[in-house]
Amino acid sequence: MSAAGPLVLFAGGGTGGHLYPGLAIARALVREAPGVRPFFIGAQRGIERDVLPTTEFPHQLLPLHPLYRKQPWNNWRTVLGGVQAWRALTQLTRNDRPAAVVGTGGYAAGVALAWARARGIPTFLHEPDSHPGLTTRVFARGAQGVFLGFPEASAQLTAAAPGAVYPLGCPIDEPPANHEARALARAAARAEWGLPDEAFVVLVMGGSQGARAINEVVDQWIARGLPRGVALIWSTGRAQAAAYLHRESEAVKVRPYLAPIAQAYAAADVALGRAGAMSIAELCAWGLPMLLVPLPTAAQDHQTFNARATAAAGAGVMLRQSDLSVDALSAQIALWQQDTTLLARMRESAQARARPTAARDIARTLRRLLQLAG
């Protein structure tokens, strides 16, 4: 690496929930401190393998592996990959000492954070979930800054210095800032989707892979007959789309994936989906009440914690996958349709949780703590 402005390493990935916040923070940091040079460290086997080559940032993919909790005999891969990654980081920065390492979670972050600690390099963490992951819990002590997507996570980070915890939210694309702009966006989005303005629009989303359990119930719901006035924008996931494309109609818009997703958020009244941190952050920013069905197999059951926190704040309703049915779904949508006061209150609660400027706020905090020139 050639020496220029300060180098900041971003380490994280494995899933989009750990990679995309890092990208958003890095872009905001470049806007705040144009001389800074973000560099991404990721795993060869994570989502970053496909995403990072499409970005503007230099990067290096390393032979990192997660902890194999259910197959401990495979942890030799984790150890060997960690040693190789440590050596690669040392070689990468031999003549270019980083100003900081920002870990955004997942197994791709742990080695880089440990490597930085061993060299006295400042470390920062971003934790998107309400239940902090292993990497965050291990490295919170001694971090110069721990940025939280859910304020509830701070109760589980007692090792972190109180002044180093910043509940600034999850970095997302900002929606329109005021009611008038949102009303215009809503009308334009519904026109683009071909949906009537008076429809009660439910956005169904299960992430890039979709959510089979949710898709099956929604399919049964459509087969039974949607309630009068209800319309769907249904993101099935690419792998499952073929099974549901025949459900497309004037009231049902079926898409394998929504990218960009802003037009769907703008058109919707409520949402049904999993309880990933980034999705919840975006739904709160758009003021959409949500019916959250946590993924039962999520690591450390973090989606259940996310859903509970969101429900406790009055912004959503949690429904376990084992309780998800056409009757349960119909009952919740009917309640929202009929009780406009409840719906308005939940919208306000969602917006109260929103942190639409999270990327900018985190970047400004990083700039201040690292004393980076603007």
Side-chain angles (χ1 to χ4, degrees):
M1 289 188 184
S2 59
L7 172 69
V8 176
L9 297 185
F10 285 81
T15 66
H18 294 305
L19 177 61
Y20 289 117
L23 290 169
I25 295 168
R27 289 175 178 131
L29 185 60
V30 169
R31 290 192 292 269
E32 292 294 324
V36 75
R37 292 177 297 131
F39 190 100
F40 278 77
I41 301 297
Q44 293 171 350
R45 62 197 303 275
I47 190 176
E48 55 270 34
R49 176 187 60 189
D50 299 318
V51 174
L52 286 177
T54 70
T55 72
E56 68 273 33
F57 297 116
H59 63 276
Q60 184 164 344
L61 301 179
L62 303 175
L64 296 162
H65 285 259
L67 284 175
Y68 293 94
R69 294 181 176 89
K70 295 182 179 179
Q71 299 174 320
W73 54 88
N74 280 326
N75 280 324
W76 67 268
R77 303 176 189 271
T78 307
V79 175
L80 178 60
V83 171
Q84 293 173 332
W86 192 286
R87 291 172 178 167
L89 286 166
T90 301
Q91 180 63 33
L92 179 71
T93 60
R94 187 173 299 280
N95 299 313
D96 198 0
R97 179 180 171 88
V101 171
V102 181
T104 56
Y107 60 86
V111 172
L113 289 166
W115 175 88
R117 292 285 176 86
R119 283 159 174 75
I121 296 170
T123 56
F124 298 85
L125 307 172
H126 181 267
E127 173 54 60
D129 295 306
S130 63
H131 182 71
L134 178 61
T135 300
T136 300
R137 297 199 306 273
V138 169
F139 289 99
R141 184 187 298 275
Q144 278 68 32
V146 182
F147 304 110
L148 303 180
F150 280 76
E152 291 84 357
S154 61
Q156 301 174 62
L157 295 176
T158 54
V165 176
Y166 301 90
L168 297 177
C170 288
I172 61 170
D173 292 330
E174 296 182 35
N178 57 60
H179 292 296
E180 182 178 352
R182 290 193 183 204
L184 292 172
R186 181 180 187 273
R190 293 200 167 195
E192 184 170 323
W193 279 103
L195 295 171
D197 192 59
E198 67 276 8
F200 189 84
V201 179
V202 181
L203 171 61
V204 182
M205 46 192 277
S208 61
Q209 301 303 311
R212 188 171 301 278
I214 293 176
N215 284 342
E216 289 174 351
V217 170
V218 170
D219 184 57
Q220 295 165 19
W221 192 33
I222 297 169
R224 179 187 292 185
L226 293 177
R228 181 182 299 274
V230 170
L232 301 183
I233 297 174
W234 183 11
S235 177
T236 62
R238 294 187 179 98
Q240 300 179 53
Y244 303 112
L245 288 174
H246 69 284
R247 293 298 188 188
E248 177 84 14
S249 69
E250 289 186 5
V252 179
K253 309 302 178 182
V254 183
R255 300 292 182 273
Y257 188 55
L258 295 169
I261 198 173
Q263 288 295 85
Y265 287 142
D269 289 293
V270 297
L272 162 67
R274 293 300 193 190
M278 298 303 293
S279 294
I280 291 174
E282 291 175 346
L283 291 168
C284 284
W286 283 91
L288 292 178
M290 57 204 88
L291 178 58
L292 299 172
V293 183
L295 177 66
T297 57
Q300 302 174 78
D301 202 23
H302 68 269
Q303 287 203 7
T304 295
F305 289 97
N306 291 349
R308 283 175 179 165
T310 305
V317 175
M318 186 182 91
L319 183 66
R320 291 191 179 276
Q321 183 168 298
S322 58
D323 296 325
L324 177 63
S325 67
V326 174
D327 288 338
L329 177 56
S330 293
Q332 183 59 55
I333 298 304
L335 176 61
W336 277 334
Q337 274 188 288
Q338 296 161 12
D339 194 337
T340 56
T341 300
L342 170 64
L343 195 64
R345 188 164 63 245
M346 293 186 73
R347 284 176 180 151
E348 292 174 359
S349 296
Q351 290 179 322
R353 295 277 291 188
R355 298 293 182 270
T357 62
R360 188 193 325 163
D361 296 339
I362 293 170
R364 287 177 176 174
T365 304
L366 280 170
R367 176 186 168 189
R368 173 175 58 82
L369 293 175
L370 292 172
Q371 299 181 339
L372 300 174

